[in-house]
Amino acid sequence: MSIKSNEQKSKLNGWKWAFLVLLSIVLGTLFWFFTQMTPVIIGEPNLETQTSRDEVTFQVSTKKDDINQLVASYLKDEKIVKGPVNYQFKLEDQAQLVGTFQLFGKDVQFQLSLEPFVMENGNLQFKTTGLSIGKLNLPISFALNQIESQLNIPDWVAIDSEQETLVFNLNEFTLDSGIHFSVDKIDLAENDIRINVYVPTN
């Protein structure tokens, strides 16, 4: 009788531990998911106008394909991506951030669509307009959190997952040569992009 009783207690203890382990996994997953839903704000839009310097200014008219090649080269040279995940930023009918991010140790494909707007000071703001993540239906703020955690975001890029915007503060970005830029016009439908280039004279 005592042997059966001990066996029953042992089975009950086993089920209790299995239940507690399963419960902790579920609660841990839910906690992680909800922390990923909290807004992420990195930097802020820089509204300052370009200050006058000793420089020559000229305007370059370019196309989407040229910008895509420059951005791809920049992402590769600056090592923006952390680890094995893959990202690509390109201009088509809209701006698109496509690639993969790690979710529960697996690569998940995503495509984030953005509408570009030129700010008054020549900086570039992107408003997210759509998101595709494999077969999942997740909010844009979740994707922005994942992107932020798996990219080395440059100091001149601001992300606000609550407002679902990205801002390229071009007035904070300067090449080693002192050359800097602002955007005058971006019309993706007409493939018309005009960039102001500022070259120091001393």
Side-chain angles (χ1 to χ4, degrees):
M1 192 75 176
S2 61
I3 295 176
K4 287 185 178 180
S5 177
N6 288 336
E7 288 178 351
Q8 289 175 345
K9 287 182 180 179
S10 178
K11 287 181 179 179
L12 285 174
N13 287 335
W15 281 110
K16 284 180 181 178
W17 279 110
F19 174 76
L20 289 174
V21 169
L22 180 61
L23 181 63
S24 64
I25 291 173
V26 171
L27 292 177
T29 302
L30 287 174
F31 176 77
W32 174 85
F33 182 78
F34 283 111
T35 58
Q36 298 303 303
M37 297 291 289
T38 57
V40 166
I41 298 177
I42 300 175
E44 59 185 17
N46 188 326
L47 304 179
E48 294 181 4
T49 56
Q50 298 280 359
T51 57
S52 58
R53 310 177 189 177
D54 294 329
E55 57 193 10
V56 175
T57 304
F58 60 93
Q59 191 173 95
V60 174
S61 180
T62 186
K63 306 294 183 183
K64 291 182 285 190
D65 287 344
D66 298 326
I67 298 297
N68 289 339
Q69 290 179 17
L70 286 172
V71 171
S73 177
Y74 177 80
L75 289 174
K76 181 179 179 181
D77 293 343
E78 296 298 320
K79 296 180 174 58
I80 300 295
V81 179
K82 302 175 184 176
V85 293
N86 176 48
Y87 287 86
Q88 183 182 7
F89 182 86
K90 57 184 179 180
L91 300 178
E92 293 185 347
D93 293 336
Q94 289 188 319
Q96 294 183 348
L97 184 63
V98 298
T100 61
F101 58 69
Q102 293 275 313
L103 186 62
F104 301 122
K106 294 186 177 181
D107 288 343
V108 178
Q109 293 184 338
F110 78 94
Q111 177 176 305
L112 186 65
S113 299
L114 309 112
E115 188 71 28
F117 300 93
V118 178
M119 300 172 66
E120 289 186 7
N121 61 356
N123 287 345
L124 202 53
Q125 182 187 68
F126 294 91
K127 176 68 176 178
T128 56
T129 59
L131 171 67
S132 171
I133 305 181
K135 297 180 180 179
L136 303 176
N137 184 19
L138 296 174
I140 290 174
S141 59
F142 180 88
L144 289 176
N145 280 339
Q146 295 303 306
I147 291 166
E148 182 276 329
S149 68
Q150 298 181 45
L151 287 179
N152 293 309
I153 305 297
D155 293 338
W156 49 274
V157 175
I159 295 179
D160 188 332
S161 65
E162 190 171 26
Q163 298 297 320
E164 299 181 354
T165 58
L166 290 85
V167 175
F168 289 1
N169 291 317
L170 297 177
N171 56 354
E172 297 179 3
F173 174 71
T174 304
L175 299 177
D176 292 338
S177 60
I179 296 174
H180 58 109
F181 311 90
S182 66
V183 178
D184 183 67
K185 180 181 180 180
I186 180 165
D187 186 338
L188 298 182
E190 297 296 327
N191 203 10
D192 184 9
I193 303 170
R194 301 175 194 178
I195 300 173
N196 299 317
V197 182
Y198 306 89
V199 181
T201 57
N202 53 16

